[in-house]
Structures are given as C-alpha cells and as structure tokens.
Amino acid sequence: YFQGYFFARPSTMAAKSLPRAHLQTLQLLNDISDDQADLVEIASKVAGDVALSVRILRYANSAAVGCRTELPSIQRAVALIGFSQIRKWAQVIVMSGLATDKPSELLFTALMRARFCELIATRGTNVHPQAFTVGLLSLLDAILDRPMESAFAELSLSEELESALLEGAGMLGQSLSIAKAYENFDWEELDRLAPDEADLTHHLSDWFVTSMSQAQDFYKLTKM
C-alpha cells in the first residue's frame, strides 16, 4: 500500500506536540542553517553537541574523506575540510535525528533533493550557501508530520529561505520547484519555470544522477 508520494507527505491523522528532544534538535538545525552565522559561531555550535561533533570527526577522519592527518577538533576540521562542507554534514546528521522513526526512503529523498537543489541553483557549481538547505528542509513537514508552516514555526529561518519553502519565491524557490517538477516528470512545469533554458532538461538528468550518488554518501554519514 506504500505507493506514490506516501513517504514524502506528512501524516494528517492527528496533530501532536513535538517531543522536547525534537525541539532541541530543531533549534540546533536552525542555528547551523543560519546564513548570518560565521565560521567560529557554527564551529562552536557543532562542538557544543558532543554526539554531533564525534560523528563529524569520525567521518572526517575516515579513509573516505582522505585526510592524511588526524583531525582532533571541529575547529581543525573546518580549517582543513572547509566551512561549507562541515556545515552540510552537520545539517545532514541533525536532520537524521528528526527522522529516526521514519522510513529511510524519506531521509534519503531529502538528502538527494538537497544536493539536486544545490546543483540546480548554481547550474552545476557549488557556490550558493542556502540551496542545499532549502532542499533538505523541503521535506521537514513529512518528517515532523505537520504542515510546513507549523514546522517552520519552531525555526527562525531567513526570509529568503522561508519564502522559498512556503511560496516558491526567489531563485531558491525556483530551484526547489524545478527539482520537484523533475522528480514528477512534469515537463510542462519545467518549461514554465525556465522558459529560456532549452538545455536545462539535459543538465537536470546529469545532476539528478549525481545527486543520487552523493546522497548515498550523505546517508552513510548518518549511520556512523
């Protein structure tokens, strides 16, 4: 009976209050997703959560990442691996903490969409700091089993992020809408969203495959 978009839709059976642990996790997710936060502030937030910092350091020191010297601290990991990458890892791990009672397909879809939105927003590069976040948070309603507006009531997102997620506004909103349209094979919607980009569909195919592959790497991170 698990058909169609079952995994990506929030349950509507009954409203329920969020557990205290979820509220704390959402606060941490909000802190590390803040586009106004600087490197030192993010490193401090991550380092302050022992379980989170241990998992990031374990991954950063793994052979898969390719570090030649052991990284003893989050600050050192940020210096060698980069602020943007550490931030993504932290967001992925924190989001996985909210989805512990959900099908693994839902978290994997969020991870894939995060990378897909990033590639769409930057047209194949990695320069927009919030495109990954908008894709990752786009399934928060399904993860928390509540409407998107209610889910975001617990977060203090930037106006750009919130309007993108709730209204499809701006460049981030367009990127998310393109990702959803491609996932649904809605070619008419793709033409409407990007009428002047004849080659976009071809690129989307490549980016989608890349996103699936890299989502698998992110998913492994949540299991460490």
Side-chain angles (χ1 to χ4, degrees):
Y1 293 91
F2 296 148
Q3 299 181 42
Y5 302 103
F6 172 82
F7 293 117
R9 285 182 173 171
S11 169
T12 57
M13 290 186 294
K16 54 184 180 182
S17 59
L18 289 174
R20 180 180 297 273
H22 273 22
L23 291 173
Q24 294 171 341
T25 303
L26 279 169
Q27 182 57 54
L28 179 59
L29 181 63
N30 182 72
D31 291 342
I32 59 181
S33 300
D34 183 2
D35 60 348
Q36 300 300 316
D38 60 21
L39 184 153
V40 174
E41 189 175 354
I42 292 295
S44 176
K45 293 289 184 182
V46 174
D49 187 301
V50 176
L52 176 61
S53 58
V54 165
R55 292 174 72 180
I56 288 179
L57 286 175
R58 185 182 300 155
Y59 190 70
N61 282 303
S62 70
V65 177
C67 291
R68 296 183 178 180
T69 58
E70 184 176 353
L71 300 172
S73 67
I74 290 297
Q75 289 77 7
R76 184 62 175 161
V78 168
L80 287 183
I81 297 174
F83 172 59
S84 176
Q85 192 64 31
I86 295 295
R87 185 180 204 160
K88 286 181 190 176
W89 292 352
Q91 287 178 315
V92 166
I93 293 173
V94 172
M95 181 66 91
S96 73
L98 293 171
T100 53
D101 60 344
K102 292 294 181 178
S104 59
E105 290 84 353
L106 180 58
L107 178 60
F108 186 83
T109 299
L111 299 178
M112 185 173 69
R113 188 180 287 176
R115 182 61 175 136
F116 196 29
C117 283
E118 186 175 47
L119 291 171
I120 293 170
T122 58
R123 297 305 189 260
T125 63
N126 297 301
V127 294
H128 198 292
Q130 293 292 290
F132 186 89
T133 304
V134 80
L136 189 66
L137 294 181
S138 66
L139 288 173
L140 190 61
D141 56 343
I143 289 174
L144 296 180
D145 281 333
R146 58 209 307 115
M148 195 68 85
E149 293 85 352
S150 176
F152 291 153
E154 308 294 344
L155 298 171
S156 300
L157 298 174
S158 68
E159 184 177 346
E160 181 185 22
L161 263 179
E162 190 164 321
S163 61
L165 287 159
L166 295 179
E167 304 165 14
M171 185 270 287
L172 290 177
Q174 182 205 41
S175 300
L176 179 58
S177 296
I178 288 174
K180 291 179 178 178
Y182 189 82
E183 290 170 5
N184 296 326
F185 306 109
D186 191 339
W187 312 125
E188 291 185 3
E189 179 67 2
L190 284 174
D191 289 339
R192 186 190 70 80
L193 291 166
D196 301 323
E197 297 185 66
D199 295 333
L200 181 60
T201 301
H202 171 73
H203 292 307
L204 287 172
S205 177
D206 292 337
W207 297 338
F208 190 77
V209 172
T210 297
S211 299
M212 288 188 66
S213 175
Q214 295 181 351
Q216 291 175 350
D217 292 334
F218 282 124
Y219 189 75
K220 291 176 185 176
L221 173 59
T222 70
K223 299 303 179 183
M224 296 192 75

